[in-house]
Amino acid sequence: MACDKGFSSSYMLLKPEEVRFFDLIRILFSSNVGKRKFVDYCPVGEAAEDVNFRRRWMIFISILAQKFLLFTSTLLLWFGSGFEMWLNLVSINKNVGRLLLNFVQGKVVKPDKASETFLSFIGNLDKRLELDSSIKYGDARYYGALSMMASKASYENKAYIEKIVGDHWKMECLETHDFWNEYQEKATTQAFLLRDKTDDYETIVVAFRGTEPFNAEDWCSDFDISWYELTGVGKIHGGFMKALGLQKNLGWPKEIQNQNDTDSGHNRPAVAYYAIRETLRALLSKNDKAKYILTGHSLGGALAILFPAVLVLHGEDSLLERLEGVYTFGQPRVGNGKFGEFMEKKLSEHNIRYFRFVYGNDMVPRLPYDDKDLMFKHFGTCLYFNRHYEAKIVEEEPNKNYFSPLGAVPMMINAFWELVRSFTIPRKKGPDYKEGNFLRLFRIIGLVMPGIPAHSPQDYVNATRLASSHVFLPSQDNPSPDQIV
């Protein structure tokens, strides 16, 4: 079959907006995926009419999930907004009892969604504001600890981010943005930049926001198993590339014109990759010694590691040379094995360190599947943490595809001890590790679905603070894989 997207001649694109129910059902009974209007499939080395059932089942699930999310997007947003408002209403009035008393007395304090004290769902799971004062610049843990706190803050509103960065961290908040997704035709990608600067050093942190729990567009990016194969690079997750700034029918041109204008002449937000690249160029040009790091939790981690991949495509050597490292937390897989080999080579050439943090049974790093049907694979240095926050340097996290019947019972037992730990950890590690009742309720979900609460920022913040510094040292100084440190 001859087909070409201009920038990719091998791809699989799912188009849920064009699917009809009975046509979706037919994909389960016909191996000819190319006949389906909602699948634009052009593989190299295999026939579009010979796709096995398991792969068709994955396409079916992906399309169905996206259709459901798009159908319920308004309801999901309404519910999420109401739930977050309730959490903040209780918090700002101290507790439920005080809220009821204030209601009776007509003294209820109402939260403002745009205020510096309003917390998202994610923020309510871990309300810590301060950096760990014992981890200073020069400590091998410093970038990891700062990156995780920035990744956690990226879920919050602009006023909150500016407040926490300026007043609590004593750093400079440079920019916060909602970026345009050309495929979803709205601003769905968020990131912010901060600067940590003294007379001795300057580090710029780019933090990409992860999936918002009640944002259907974010979940669609996660569930979209579309992929593009770039010549000499490998296959890359289509949903993540679209969120970063992939251009329709153009792919990744080195420059784009008039990115702030729509065809109708109305202003629109900038595109993530191109806007952040220009900002970094301007900031780094002012100080030859300045460096930057990229970070993100969940979906944000995927965008963080894809950003340097596009820099490589564009030959942005000057920016790559200033990239100190990439730190991701609970990051899903972003490409196939060929892409991983390509990135490991390029990161090594530019001496860029890439740490991929995985806590316990977190479900997200184990998706999309690493198997013969979905072909997604991790790469880089994986720091795996157990429930005691002991770290192992491993090639792949245990139970790499999560949904294993044999692993279900051990994961549930582990989730039980994580719930117990939430009551005991303040006595062992100090008051900074105290968990709130909302997180404890969230951990109860882990007794049935262990991979969900294990994805919360609380455990990743704890991991970056309690880990031994040895795991962050250059590879020649590191213990061998699977050695507990």
Side-chain angles (χ1 to χ4, degrees), residues 262-440:
T262 62
D263 293 338
S264 62
H266 297 100
N267 288 334
R268 75 178 192 193
V271 178
Y273 166 77
Y274 294 96
I276 293 172
R277 185 188 65 179
E278 293 309 307
T279 299
L280 288 173
R281 284 175 176 171
L283 292 171
L284 296 172
S285 67
K286 298 176 182 178
N287 182 353
D288 292 340
K289 295 182 180 179
K291 299 280 189 177
Y292 70 101
I293 58 177
L294 300 166
T295 188
H297 170 259
S298 192
L299 166 64
L303 302 184
I305 190 55
L306 282 179
F307 188 90
V310 186
L311 290 180
V312 170
L313 290 177
H314 292 161
E316 296 282 355
D317 289 346
S318 59
L319 283 178
L320 289 165
E321 293 299 329
R322 308 286 286 278
L323 177 54
E324 186 77 14
V326 182
Y327 296 79
T328 71
F329 306 89
Q331 171 215 312
R333 298 182 176 102
V334 298
N336 68 351
K338 183 178 179 181
F339 174 69
E341 293 171 1
F342 171 84
M343 284 302 296
E344 287 189 331
K345 178 182 178 183
K346 295 301 180 181
L347 293 174
S348 177
E349 288 176 359
H350 294 281
N351 295 313
I352 300 169
R353 309 192 67 198
Y354 169 37
F355 288 104
R356 185 172 61 82
F357 289 71
V358 178
Y359 169 75
N361 294 313
D362 185 350
M363 178 190 299
V364 177
R366 295 166 167 92
L367 299 170
Y369 274 6
D370 173 2
D371 61 17
K372 61 184 178 62
D373 295 307
L374 284 185
M375 59 76 192
F376 290 94
K377 292 186 177 295
H378 276 308
F379 60 96
T381 301
C382 177
L383 302 184
Y384 174 76
F385 295 83
N386 63 18
R387 72 169 184 268
H388 303 294
Y389 303 114
E390 297 168 329
K392 290 182 180 181
I393 302 169
V394 297
E395 293 183 3
E396 184 69 77
E397 56 272 8
N399 191 20
K400 69 177 184 178
N401 285 330
Y402 186 74
F403 294 103
S404 167
L406 295 177
V409 172
M411 285 193 296
M412 291 176 182
I413 293 173
N414 188 73
F416 170 78
W417 288 114
E418 287 174 333
L419 180 60
V420 172
R421 183 196 61 197
S422 70
F423 294 92
T424 61
I425 193 171
R427 294 198 299 270
K428 295 180 179 179
K429 303 298 183 181
D432 285 346
Y433 296 90
K434 181 180 179 181
E435 297 186 7
N437 291 329
F438 179 52
L439 178 56
R440 287 170 179 165

Side-chain angles (χ1 to χ4, degrees), residues 12-21 23-25 27 33 36-40 55-71 220 223-226 242:
M12 183 185 74
L13 309 180
L14 305 184
K15 297 178 284 187
E17 67 280 1
E18 298 183 17
V19 71
R20 295 181 179 179
F21 179 73
D23 198 25
L24 180 60
I25 294 297
I27 201 172
V33 173
R36 308 278 77 83
K37 293 181 179 180
F38 59 89
V39 182
D40 190 358
R55 190 176 300 184
R56 300 198 312 273
W57 173 252
M58 293 295 181
I59 293 173
F60 175 84
I61 293 297
S62 176
I63 291 284
L64 192 63
Q66 291 181 73
K67 289 292 288 184
F68 176 78
L69 286 165
L70 292 172
F71 179 74
C220 284
F223 278 104
D224 184 3
I225 59 171
S226 301
K242 293 170 186 176

